[in-house]
Amino acid sequence: MPTSSPSKSTPKRSASSPPFASEYRDWLRMMVLIRRFEEKAGEAYSLGQIGGFCHLYIGQEALGVGSISALAPDDYVVSAYREHGLALARGMAPRAVMAELFGKATGCSKGKGGSMHLFDTSINFMGGHGIVGGQIPLGAGFAFAAKYRGTSQVSLTFFGDAAANIGSFHETLNMAGLWKLPCVFVIENNGYGMGTAIARAAAISDLWQRAASYGMPGVEVDGQDVVAVRLVTEEAVARAREGDGPTLIEARTFRYVGHSMSDAASGTYRSKEELEASRQRDPIVLFEEKLRGLGLIADGDIKAIEDEVAAVVADAVQFADASPDPDPSELTTDVYAPEGGR
Amino acid sequence: MATMTYRDALNAALREEMQRDEDVFLMGEEVAEYDGAYKVSRGLLAEFGPKRVVDTPISELGFTGIGVGAAMVGLRPIVEVMTFNFALLALDQIVNGAAKIRYMSGGQIGCPIVIRGPGGAALQLAAQHSQAFESWYAHIPGLTVVMPATPADAKGLLKSSIRSDDPVIFIEGEMLYNVKGEVPDEEYLIPIGKADVKREGGDATIICHSKTVTPALRAAETLAADGIQAEVIDLRTIRPLDTEAILASVAKTHRVVVAEEGWGFAGVGAEVVDVIQREAFDELDAPVIRVHQADVPMPYNKHLERAAKADAPKIVAAVRRVCYRD
């Protein structure tokens, strides 16, 4: 993986013996689950069942599913606030995620975090952070701890293209490269920081090139191609695990929806035509077509996945709706540790 | 009891806690090969090696965030900021990160980190290097703010801070590093959240912390010569505030001066005064008076700087006023 040229998204294994074939159905199911979950979350938001800010992952499913599939169970994942899909891909229960969005006591963060603050330490899903770029040094911190303890854990840190312009990105990548920390940085480049197109925000729009400044490989990948994402992430994770340091992955993707539920999908900052064009490369449709071409699924399989996922999502909504609000006493707990210390 | 400097007391606390717990490590600018910008970490690299004494680039936001991340997964980082003026660059990680992780994760993730270094003014360092920010941190639920004034308190409180399961802002003072005092030979801890009566007196209470403790004690001596016995309460911890100690002294003297190094507006003293008026209104024989820095950026000129700072003569004047002696 050269430092200064992009490794394009061509799978290195031949199509006649497709890699990960045994995982394909799981990936497709997870991508469909995220899509349907987010659609339902959007509905619930419109009904006032979810409050505050709510950033949906629709359009970016291949990116989260492909990259997280490359991890071991004890690796770390951390993200910004568009993280529902990443939490699900990491294995968080749909009920716990939806209940958190509803602000209920049964949510993964007991209703205290909400959409932007999903946490589950049982799967090392470390949030859910609301300040652009704030999670980037945290991800390096998990990697620092892994190296300090001599474990083989790797830290996978997600952030958007706009976060690549904030100071924490540059400071962290410099130290991660300097100290060869076992981390993988994934830029989810959906083309827009809220309403600002990347070309209006970054002097060099090929963000993967920034890796060269920090002594790590930079890789560009088609974020709509789940297999391609898996391949580059797997390579980066292996590199980190072997002690060869971090990698910066720039995955090109697209969000079909507005920045948050408060924003329109298109408008003054991007056109309907651009949005429609992006939908021609829908990650789920692309993957379904690929699997059909390989003869790995049939229409009946897709219907079975859709039916099963619909039931899971409906159950999550029902569970969240029926769950109790946090007890009023929860207001003042979890501010400080219940006991003094070590 | 050995006599040692505040600097060496901090150094001893770091050494003892690093010996005690493999998860404790120190990171920051110049902490390792340079032996510390203020030599607080002297000798630690030689004893513990580069894995546990980590030099960083000048990237306060980044390395504080790496520390917060490491703490979230159970290590016990001590992040040294060269001064708290520079920690402004790390505020996002401290305020949006460390202080809130436990709450917004529903109690799943703690953040046992210590962020320490000198705060406040030294001598003629001018506006950007002379700021006391304890009230900023004390404003934030989730943070603990510790500010020892003596070598013995510095050692015992730093050890307690390192063992705390919550993020601790530990503010030292450049002008305190050379201060000498007696430090117990045996191992000891000083509990977080406990003020200390540094001098007993029955006529007025001076509530102070960190660098204002020494001028408060000097003021008390001056006042004693004039027949006023001032009690000096060193808060030691700003958050949580030891309201019990404050109220006990108010009940004893009925007259209070609150001194602090920083600016008055929304300062630590304002919180102390609020506690007193709310909980001990009927005990007061005079309005509480505050002594603090002039409401200006710190000037460079030494005469102007002296005029700006809270000092012993200003504390003396304030105590005389609450005693209606002027």
Side-chain angles (χ1 to χ4, degrees), chain A residues 20-297:
Chain A
F20 328 117
S22 62
E23 298 178 51
Y24 280 171
R25 193 190 151 86
D26 288 344
W27 296 357
L28 180 61
R29 176 193 173 273
M30 184 54 73
M31 289 164 66
V32 174
L33 172 64
I34 293 169
R35 176 74 54 94
R36 303 299 168 233
F37 183 98
E38 293 289 67
E39 288 168 352
K40 198 58 92 177
E43 274 178 46
Y45 190 91
S46 304
L47 293 170
Q49 293 168 303
I50 297 173
F53 290 133
C54 185
H55 311 82
L56 303 181
Y57 203 63
I58 295 173
Q60 304 184 194
E61 296 89 347
L63 206 175
V65 171
S67 52
I68 288 175
S69 75
L71 296 180
D74 64 345
D75 290 335
Y76 295 105
V77 178
V78 69
S79 169
Y81 42 77
R82 194 181 304 286
E83 91 283 31
H84 312 162
L86 298 172
L88 293 169
R90 185 53 172 161
M92 210 186 289
R95 281 183 164 196
V97 179
M98 193 64 86
E100 189 59 35
L101 304 190
F102 277 54
K104 296 300 183 70
T106 53
C108 60
S109 306
K110 300 200 307 199
K112 291 179 167 183
S115 164
M116 296 186 284
H117 306 302
L118 305 176
F119 291 85
D120 186 346
T121 52
S122 73
I123 51 173
N124 282 350
F125 191 84
M126 306 302 286
H129 298 269
I131 308 297
V132 170
Q135 78 281 16
I136 302 175
L138 301 181
F142 310 146
F144 182 96
K147 185 169 180 174
Y148 187 95
R149 290 173 165 142
T151 72
S152 63
Q153 291 162 290
V154 169
S155 173
L156 185 59
T157 303
F158 293 93
F159 47 97
D161 45 285
N165 295 326
I166 205 164
S168 62
F169 166 87
H170 297 279
E171 293 188 6
T172 302
L173 263 69
N174 180 50
M175 282 180 276
L178 181 68
W179 297 337
K180 291 202 179 305
L181 297 182
C183 42
V184 178
F185 300 102
V186 180
I187 304 174
E188 300 184 277
N189 182 357
N190 61 25
Y192 291 88
M194 196 168 162
T196 303
I198 188 165
R200 297 200 296 122
I204 297 173
S205 293
D206 286 324
L207 299 174
W208 61 266
Q209 292 196 43
R210 296 185 178 184
S213 297
Y214 304 118
M216 67 181 77
V219 190
E220 184 192 21
V221 66
D222 176 4
Q224 306 306 83
D225 180 344
V226 64
V227 179
V229 172
R230 163 62 182 255
L231 281 168
V232 298
T233 313
E234 187 175 77
E235 198 172 334
V237 166
R239 190 171 177 277
R241 223 185 285 291
E242 283 155 20
D244 295 328
T247 300
L248 177 65
I249 296 172
E250 178 188 357
R252 299 287 176 104
T253 185
F254 207 90
R255 69 169 147 79
Y256 290 4
V257 290
H259 169 68
S260 82
M261 283 300 296
S262 321
D263 309 301
S266 62
T268 54
Y269 70 98
R270 71 178 184 187
S271 67
K272 270 189 179 149
E273 292 70 34
E274 183 184 344
L275 186 57
E276 279 314 308
S278 75
R279 286 176 179 273
Q280 301 310 306
R281 299 204 67 249
D282 183 280
I284 295 175
V285 172
L286 286 176
F287 194 42
E288 281 177 2
E289 284 171 358
K290 181 188 178 78
L291 297 192
R292 266 187 239 271
L294 292 167
L296 292 173
I297 55 162

Side-chain angles (χ1 to χ4, degrees), chain B residues 188-231:
Chain B
Y188 67 100
L189 297 171
I190 291 178
I192 289 169
K194 291 286 174 211
D196 186 41
V197 180
K198 287 288 193 280
R199 178 188 174 114
E200 295 209 37
D203 298 328
T205 299
I206 305 169
I207 297 171
C208 52
H209 63 272
S210 188
K211 267 179 278 172
T212 52
V213 173
T214 300
L217 289 169
R218 216 177 304 133
E221 272 176 40
T222 304
L223 290 160
D226 208 13
I228 298 173
Q229 296 303 325
E231 180 149 289

Side-chain angles (χ1 to χ4, degrees), chain A residues 134 148-149 171 331 336 342, chain B residues 21-22 62 93 103 143 163:
Chain A
Y148 187 95
R149 290 173 165 142
E171 293 188 6
L331 175 67
Y336 293 95
R342 211 171 258 198
Chain B
D21 187 345
E22 281 284 320
Q93 287 297 328
Y103 198 81
L143 297 181
R163 295 184 194 188

Side-chain angles (χ1 to χ4, degrees), chain B residues 215 218-220 222-223 311-321 326:
Chain B
R218 216 177 304 133
T222 304
L223 290 160
D311 61 8
K314 289 173 186 161
I315 296 171
V316 168
V319 173
R320 291 183 63 84
R321 275 182 65 197
D326 283 320

